[in-house]
């Protein structure tokens, strides 16, 4: 006998009364009364049913809606489930409903109904289906390096079955867990990134990504110098500080080694018209809300470009003077030896015994330097005494003062040489101070007729 009613609540009451009043053969038992499934997945709802002997089952179906005056509406005829539901069973005692591509609006209470050749029956209270998404919860979402973080793969209802979980970081599989919790303790900067989760049975149904932000103080702080290498006096040099930090560095501060006060602020520091006072070591300090760190010290080496120094000019002039004097002395000595070896034809030579008229050999070697340098003049007279003095000459046209080196050698009276031989060797440097070139001039003056 079919029981009709205007509401599902009244049907439940009548069915219960019918069982109590003498229809113990009718009944429906659901495998699960509550099912939680992921949106986009598939779900199976199953039950078993009984009826009195001698009856034959003619039709079975599932429904969620009850229309007044018409009774239960077959789910397979509902346009919203077109192509997404399937009935399976033996038409005797077992029935299963499969729903694919679950949607949020599919959440409802599903009931089974069967019809025999004599009566109809609807099983109560049905199966409550919940449809959920996965959602990652990061606690806390921003954390300082070294602290603890808990990630939870949440759903609006407990998923049916013993599901295991897969965790993804930046779209790459990170780990698999039997629980929906993932602990990062202690957390490091490498753990920062985008996290999502999925259940093993439905890996393609991942949760939306949530970001874990790990903060840390600046590290790998370094300074670059442009231009690199030695710096020429009067030019400019730029120092640039770089670091790895989260959050980014808010203020860079520049210091000079062994000086407590700061020189400048900002990621770059430029020194213009650099001088010797700017030489030394520099470093930068990088800081954010977590902490600060210093770079290593970089050295700025200054090059001072000038002309030839006074000492170098004096040394060069002296060297040239000495060399020329040695050469001249050697030449004069060879000349004297040659003349001395010839026999004398002058009768005055033997009468004077070396005290007669004679010519002297005189040489003068001078070197002019770029800067005022004391010069030495050496004379050797017939008595073999040596004297030194410094001559300073001033150009009346230019007003510039030059120091001249003289090297003079006087030879004693020669018995065989009647004509004095005079020679001057002079080393003159050019007016251009930027070039270090030595010039030598040699002049021979015959003061009297040579033999």
């Amino acid at each position: 006998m079919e029981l009709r009613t205007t509401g599902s609540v009244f049907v439940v009451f009548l069915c219960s009364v019918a069982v109590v009043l003498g229809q113990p053969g009718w009944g429906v038992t659901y495998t699960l009364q509550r099912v939680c499934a992921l949106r986009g997945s598939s779900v199976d709802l199953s039950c078993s049913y009984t009826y009195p002997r001698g009856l034959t089952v003619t039709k079975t179906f599932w429904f969620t809606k009850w229309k007044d005056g018409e009774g239960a509406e077959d789910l397979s005829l509902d346009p919203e489930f077109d192509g997404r539901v399937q009935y399976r069973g033996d038409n005797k005692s077992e029935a299963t409903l499969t729903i694919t591509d679950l949607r949020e609006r599919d959440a409802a209470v599903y009931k089974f109904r069967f019809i025999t050749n004599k009566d109809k029956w609807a099983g109560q209270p049905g199966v409550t289906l919940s449809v959920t998404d996965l959602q990652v919860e990061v606690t806390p979402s921003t954390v300082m390096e070294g602290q603890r973080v808990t990630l939870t793969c949440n759903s609006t209802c407990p998923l049916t079955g013993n599901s295991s979980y897969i965790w993804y970081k930046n779209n790459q599989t990170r780990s698999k867990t039997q629980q929906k919790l993932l602990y990062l303790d202690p957390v490091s900067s490498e753990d920062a990134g985008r996290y999502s989760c999925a259940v093993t049975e439905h890996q393609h149904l991942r949760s939306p990504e949530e970001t874990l932000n790990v903060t840390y103080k600046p590290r790998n702080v370094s300074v670059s110098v442009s231009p690199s290498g030695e710096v020429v006096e009067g030019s400019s040099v730029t120092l640039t500080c770089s670091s790895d930090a989260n959050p980014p560095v808010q203020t860079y501060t520049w210091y000079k080694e062994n000086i407590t006060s700061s020189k400048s602020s900002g990621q770059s520091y430029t020194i213009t018209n650099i001088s010797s006072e700017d030489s030394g070591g520099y470093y930068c300090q990088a800081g954010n809300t977590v902490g600060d760190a210093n770079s290593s010290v970089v050295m700025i080496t200054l090059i001072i470009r000038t002309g030839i120094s006074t000492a170098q000019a004096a040394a060069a002039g002296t060297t040239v003077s000495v060399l020329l004097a040695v050469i001249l002395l050697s030449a004069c000595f060879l000349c004297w030896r040659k003349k001395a070896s010839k026999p004398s034809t002058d009768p005055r030579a033997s009468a004077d015994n070396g005290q007669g008229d004679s010519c002297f050999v005189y040489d003068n070697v001078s070197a002019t330097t770029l800067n005022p340098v004391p010069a030495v003049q050496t004379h050797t007279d017939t008595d073999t005494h040596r004297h030194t003095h410094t001559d300073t000459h001033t150009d009346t046209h230019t007003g510039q003062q030059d120091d001249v080196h003289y090297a003079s050698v006087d030879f004693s009276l020669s018995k065989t040489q009647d004509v004095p031989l005079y020679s001057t060797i002079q080393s003159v440097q050019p007016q251009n101070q930027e070039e270090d070139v030595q010039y030598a001039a040699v002049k021979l003056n015959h003061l009297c007729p040579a033999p």
Side-chain angles (χ1 to χ4, degrees):
M1 178 177 182
E2 182 178 359
L3 301 176
R4 297 183 178 273
T5 181
T6 59
S8 59
V9 177
F10 193 54
V11 170
V12 173
F13 176 76
L14 291 179
C15 288
S16 300
V17 172
V19 172
V20 174
L21 294 180
Q23 298 184 13
W26 298 89
V28 175
T29 303
Y30 298 99
T31 304
L32 295 174
Q33 292 187 355
R34 291 186 176 276
V35 174
C36 178
L38 290 174
R39 182 170 62 91
S41 65
S42 300
V43 67
D44 289 336
L45 307 179
S46 60
C47 68
S48 60
Y49 55 95
T50 59
Y51 47 90
R53 291 183 179 180
L55 299 181
T56 301
V57 175
T58 58
K59 185 178 181 180
T60 61
F61 62 92
W62 294 78
F63 68 96
T64 59
K65 302 174 183 177
W66 187 284
K67 290 185 177 182
D68 294 340
E70 297 181 9
E73 181 180 350
D74 189 346
L75 193 65
S76 62
L77 302 179
D78 190 336
E80 292 186 3
F81 292 92
D82 185 25
R84 297 194 299 121
V85 298
Q86 180 182 2
Y87 295 156
R88 291 181 291 120
D90 56 6
N91 280 338
K92 293 180 180 180
S93 61
E94 303 290 337
T96 299
L97 166 65
T98 299
I99 307 175
T100 60
D101 189 19
L102 282 174
R103 302 166 186 174
E104 291 182 359
R105 62 175 178 269
D106 293 339
V109 176
Y110 292 80
K111 301 173 184 178
F112 176 73
R113 183 176 181 81
F114 66 95
I115 301 175
T116 66
N117 54 353
K118 185 178 179 182
D119 210 342
K120 304 176 181 179
W121 191 265
Q124 299 295 335
V127 180
T128 301
L129 173 64
S130 300
V131 180
T132 183
D133 282 321
L134 293 178
Q135 183 68 42
V136 172
E137 179 183 0
V138 181
T139 309
S141 59
T142 298
V143 62
M144 188 181 299
E145 190 173 34
Q147 296 181 342
R148 172 174 172 159
V149 175
T150 301
L151 289 84
T152 307
C153 190
N154 284 328
S155 56
T156 57
C157 57
L159 293 175
T160 302
N162 298 321
S163 299
S164 59
Y165 294 82
I166 302 176
W167 288 94
Y168 301 90
K169 176 190 172 185
N170 298 333
N171 267 338
Q172 301 296 322
T173 302
R174 187 189 185 278
S175 61
K176 296 182 180 181
T177 61
Q178 292 299 321
Q179 300 179 345
K180 62 180 182 178
L181 299 176
L182 176 63
Y183 298 103
L184 303 177
D185 187 19
V187 68
S188 70
S189 58
E190 284 102 20
D191 293 323
R194 307 182 313 276
Y195 285 83
S196 61
C197 65
V199 294
T200 306
E201 297 83 358
H202 304 286
Q203 298 184 25
H204 63 289
L205 300 175
R206 297 185 188 179
S207 70
E209 290 182 327
E210 291 294 329
T211 300
L212 171 62
N213 184 28
V214 180
T215 62
Y216 51 92
K217 70 177 186 178
R219 56 194 181 192
N220 302 326
V221 183
S222 62
V223 174
S224 60
V225 182
S226 178
S228 59
E230 297 177 327
V231 181
V232 179
E233 185 179 24
S235 63
S236 299
V237 64
T238 299
L239 308 178
T240 303
C241 191
S242 60
S243 66
D244 173 24
N246 186 30
V249 174
Q250 299 171 342
T251 303
Y252 288 96
T253 308
W254 292 93
Y255 295 90
K256 189 175 182 181
E257 196 174 20
N258 300 325
I259 298 179
T260 56
S261 60
S262 63
K263 301 290 290 184
S264 179
S265 62
Q267 189 168 7
S268 296
Y269 172 40
T270 300
I271 307 174
T272 58
N273 194 23
I274 193 167
S275 64
S276 58
E277 296 179 354
D278 299 315
S279 297
Y282 291 82
Y283 65 94
C284 72
Q285 184 181 80
N288 61 5
T289 57
V290 182
D292 52 56
N294 294 341
S295 70
S296 57
V297 176
V298 295
M299 299 299 298
I300 294 182
T301 304
L302 191 65
I303 297 179
I304 301 177
R305 289 184 176 176
T306 61
I308 184 171
S309 66
T310 301
Q312 290 173 328
T318 302
T319 301
V320 172
S321 299
V322 172
L323 290 176
L324 293 177
V326 170
I327 294 173
L328 181 59
L329 288 173
S330 300
C332 291
F333 179 74
L334 292 176
C335 181
W336 176 80
R337 286 286 303 270
K338 182 177 180 181
K339 293 181 180 295
S341 62
K342 295 182 180 180
S344 176
T345 60
D346 190 349
R348 292 178 296 174
S350 58
D352 293 339
N353 292 326
Q355 301 298 325
D357 294 337
S358 63
C359 292
F360 290 90
V361 178
Y362 175 80
D363 87 287
N364 182 14
V365 180
S366 65
T368 303
T369 61
L370 295 177
N371 299 308
V373 178
V376 179
Q377 183 175 23
T378 304
H379 298 278
T380 304
D381 58 14
T382 56
D383 295 332
T384 68
H385 295 290
R386 296 183 180 178
H387 306 279
T388 63
H389 69 277
T390 301
D391 291 342
T392 302
H393 300 277
T394 303
D395 192 328
T396 59
H397 296 285
T398 62
Q400 296 181 348
Q401 181 176 329
D402 296 332
D403 287 344
V404 182
H405 292 270
Y406 293 91
S408 302
V409 180
D410 294 341
F411 292 90
S412 60
L413 181 63
S414 173
K415 294 181 180 181
T416 60
Q417 182 173 325
D418 295 332
V419 182
L421 178 62
Y422 176 82
S423 67
T424 300
I425 299 178
Q426 183 177 14
S427 173
V428 182
Q429 292 194 3
Q431 296 296 325
N432 187 355
Q433 297 184 359
E434 295 181 356
E435 299 186 22
D436 185 14
V437 181
Q438 301 290 339
Y439 294 89
V442 180
K443 181 178 182 182
L444 296 179
N445 294 323
H446 296 282
L447 298 181
C448 57

